[in-house]
Amino acid sequence: MLVRQARLSAERDAEVRFELPAALAERVADDHAFAALAAAEQQLFPARGSDCGAEAATPRDQIKQLEAAISGLGRQQAGRVAEQQIVASQLLAFRDLTHQGLMQTSQLNAMERDSASLAAEIGRIEAAIAEHRGRISEVMVEILAIDQILRKDVAAELNELATRIAEYRERREAARRRDPSP
């Protein structure tokens, strides 16, 4: 039970490795049955961690996909902003030409529509980026919930185990009081 308690404490604390406390490690060398129990708990530690990791792997993959989409949208946005700057400089020239009577108003109107269309597209891209960032936040909350459920389960198991250890110690002490011989 003490080895399990040590493993559960390591899981609760999100330790990367599980090592026996020094007092328990000494018993491993002297007691083969205890050594087998310790080995079983040490094998269980990475298995339980990988179960939790597997559960959180899909949401982490979703985050990577969303980040890649945001990156692509950012490149699209940069391209559209550059295009908008070109159209803006052309608009200035077209307005001058239209005021001088060297260009028809319909051509200027078409260029202004293109500029407005680019501004709308940039806005849609910005909205898509914001939506993806919001989804990343939601997925991160899912990952935290998975971690919290694991910690809650481990804490419950630790509490149950602590109760059993306390009961065992009480029974052992009561037995010693009844039979004081060593």
Side-chain angles (χ1 to χ4, degrees):
M1 284 191 275
L2 295 174
V3 177
R4 178 170 289 158
Q5 186 179 35
R7 176 186 52 84
L8 289 171
S9 295
E11 287 178 10
R12 178 199 59 210
D13 298 340
E15 297 290 334
V16 177
R17 293 180 32 200
F18 164 60
E19 294 188 26
L20 288 173
L24 297 177
E26 290 174 10
R27 279 187 64 190
V28 169
D30 300 334
D31 186 346
H32 294 296
F34 186 79
L37 287 173
E41 291 295 332
Q42 286 179 324
Q43 288 175 349
L44 189 57
F45 180 77
R48 295 243 323 211
S50 66
D51 285 349
C52 178
E55 214 174 313
T58 300
R60 284 190 179 97
D61 288 344
Q62 288 176 343
I63 288 175
K64 288 178 185 173
Q65 291 169 354
L66 289 166
E67 287 172 343
I70 288 171
S71 176
L73 288 167
R75 288 190 296 279
Q76 285 180 10
Q77 183 182 27
R80 292 300 181 204
V81 166
E83 189 176 348
Q84 187 181 39
Q85 290 170 347
I86 292 168
V87 168
S89 66
Q90 288 177 338
L91 262 175
L92 289 175
F94 279 24
R95 283 187 184 119
D96 285 343
L97 292 172
T98 303
H99 286 1
Q100 292 173 9
L102 300 173
M103 179 179 255
Q104 295 180 356
T105 307
S106 61
Q107 290 174 310
L108 176 64
N109 290 342
M111 184 63 70
E112 287 176 342
R113 272 192 303 276
D114 289 346
S115 177
S117 177
L118 281 170
E121 189 171 348
I122 291 169
R124 281 191 295 276
I125 292 170
E126 288 172 350
I129 289 171
E131 183 179 331
H132 285 24
R133 286 187 178 140
R135 181 65 186 129
I136 286 173
S137 295
E138 291 171 7
V139 172
M140 291 175 84
V141 168
E142 289 175 27
I143 292 170
L144 289 173
I146 291 168
D147 289 344
Q148 188 175 26
I149 288 169
L150 174 70
R151 281 190 174 67
K152 181 180 174 185
D153 291 347
V154 167
E157 202 171 334
L158 265 171
N159 286 337
E160 179 185 326
L161 193 58
T163 301
R164 287 174 40 204
I165 289 170
E167 289 170 357
Y168 170 76
R169 287 179 176 157
E170 285 177 20
R171 285 193 308 266
R172 188 177 66 189
E173 187 59 33
R176 280 187 189 155
R177 279 188 250 136
R178 279 190 303 243
D179 185 19
S181 63

